Amino acid sequence: MWQPDLDGVISTLAETDFPLEVLVETTAHCNLRCSMCPQKDMKREKGEISFELFKKIVDEMAQKSPESRLWLAIMGEALLLGNKLIKMIKYAKVTGIKSIHLNTNANLLNKEMSLKLIESGIDEIIIGMDAFTNDTYAKIRVGGDFHKTRENVEFLLNEKRQRHLSRPKVVMQFIVMQLNENELDDYKSYWLSRGAIIKVRPKIGWGTAVETEDLTLPDSYRTFPCPMIVRNIAIHWDGTVANCSDADYEGLYPAGNINDSTIEEIWNGELASRRKKHWEGDFSHPLCKNCKDWQTGRSIFFFPENYNE
């Protein structure tokens, strides 16, 4: 049973003039049909972000808040973009973004892509496998290739080690659910011994789209605003700014569009009014009232021996 560190989350929450994390959906397409993700059933149009729109986002971040973390994530597999993704990462880094993070299932993380990512300057690569055995992997990461993915990650880790690099951080994520929880210890041991960081977190519900086993706290515990609304701005591939990155994965309650506004305008405009309600204890928004993702707490990290930041 997942034990959320709610006090730890609450201590990190504060109002800011610019989002601490900017989540950019580089593509809404994916090569897998994962059991814990609603992407496979998503109804909104799928596409990929234009370089011009990405550039606009990054340029504003670099000017207003280069310390804000840029996450290349939301509902798609960014490695599908190939060299376009590398171009975007390099642009963000040379423009002055200090912290760039990529979420990937690593099925497309071949040797060529690994080398390009290393050379791009990306700071962190979070890889989702969520299983130690092929059988469990096949049930969770549906359509993926367990053995190829493991070989891909091991090549990346070996290349980092041979070059004596501290970046990018390679984080092996494990989303805990009933199907895989008995494999966590083996997963940790295997990847820690190979130099990866381990990130453990519970399965989220994406609002009410996915059934969760561990998010069972009563509403009486809900005394703080949702961290995803307080910290993040979620920008879909077409520029739509969603209410949040999880429950509004369909973009049904947009707060604006980056094509005709700025991050700062939307953050301190419509999103500010929605955050204000959360700070006041009002969770009546259609996306928020039945969402349980606020109670996930902080992820747990494990580091390999002799790890140096």
Side-chain angles (χ1 to χ4, degrees), residues 9-271:
V9 170
I10 292 170
S11 68
T12 69
L13 301 179
E15 270 295 290
T16 58
D17 295 331
F18 199 89
L20 298 177
E21 298 181 332
V22 179
L23 279 64
V24 177
E25 183 181 76
T26 58
T27 178
H29 294 285
C30 194
N31 54 338
L32 303 188
R33 296 173 58 82
C34 300
S35 64
M36 68 296 187
C37 177
Q39 192 276 346
K40 57 188 175 295
D41 302 313
M42 192 169 67
K43 296 179 176 58
R44 65 176 165 94
E45 184 180 1
K46 297 179 177 69
E48 64 182 51
I49 196 169
S50 69
F51 186 78
E52 291 73 23
L53 181 56
F54 182 81
K55 182 177 181 294
K56 181 183 180 185
I57 294 167
V58 167
D59 288 350
E60 183 182 357
M61 289 181 66
Q63 180 184 8
K64 298 291 185 179
S65 182
E67 295 81 11
S68 292
R69 294 179 289 276
L70 174 62
W71 287 85
L72 307 178
I74 298 183
M75 294 305 294
E77 172 51 58
L79 293 188
L80 286 168
L81 298 184
N83 287 332
K84 180 180 177 181
L85 175 67
I86 301 301
K87 179 182 177 182
M88 289 192 291
I89 295 169
K90 286 183 175 180
Y91 181 82
K93 184 54 69 172
V94 76
T95 303
I97 306 305
K98 299 184 183 303
S99 188
I100 305 174
H101 310 259
L102 171 68
N103 283 78
T104 178
N105 59 51
N107 273 252
L108 300 176
L109 188 66
N110 56 31
K111 293 181 180 179
E112 180 183 6
M113 179 56 68
S114 286
L115 296 176
K116 288 180 178 180
L117 282 171
I118 288 173
E119 293 162 4
S120 73
I122 193 164
D123 296 280
E124 183 177 63
I125 303 173
I126 302 98
I127 297 166
M129 286 193 70
D130 310 304
F132 182 67
T133 65
N134 183 46
D135 287 347
T136 301
Y137 180 87
K139 295 172 184 176
I140 297 174
R141 295 282 174 175
V142 180
D145 186 321
F146 175 80
H147 297 291
K148 181 178 71 174
T149 301
R150 188 165 65 180
E151 289 175 4
N152 290 346
V153 180
E154 290 184 345
F155 174 83
L156 175 63
L157 289 167
N158 287 335
E159 194 67 24
K160 260 194 68 181
R161 183 166 52 252
Q162 290 173 10
R163 297 189 186 198
H164 305 288
L165 299 175
S166 61
R167 292 288 188 275
K169 294 181 183 178
V170 179
V171 180
M172 295 302 296
Q173 180 169 267
F174 192 97
I175 298 174
V176 180
M177 53 195 101
Q178 290 180 357
L179 185 60
N180 67 358
E181 59 186 0
N182 64 316
E183 297 185 6
L184 176 57
D185 288 342
D186 288 334
Y187 186 91
K188 284 167 52 182
S189 297
Y190 186 88
W191 289 113
L192 285 172
S193 71
R194 284 154 177 79
I197 300 168
I198 306 299
K199 177 182 179 182
V200 182
R201 70 170 179 83
K203 180 171 66 172
I204 62 172
W206 298 92
T208 57
V210 174
E211 184 178 354
T212 59
E213 303 98 359
D214 290 332
L215 307 185
T216 58
L217 293 176
D219 285 343
S220 59
Y221 282 78
R222 198 175 192 181
T223 60
F224 56 94
C226 178
M228 282 167 277
I229 286 181
V230 171
R231 297 195 193 110
N232 307 345
I233 189 167
I235 305 171
H236 290 173
W237 68 269
D238 61 356
T240 299
V241 175
N243 182 72
C244 65
S245 58
D246 292 358
D248 199 21
Y249 66 91
E250 289 280 15
L252 298 178
Y253 295 88
N257 193 295
I258 297 299
N259 282 292
D260 49 40
S261 297
T262 66
I263 295 172
E264 190 174 39
E265 287 170 345
I266 298 172
W267 181 254
N268 293 309
E270 177 58 28
L271 286 180

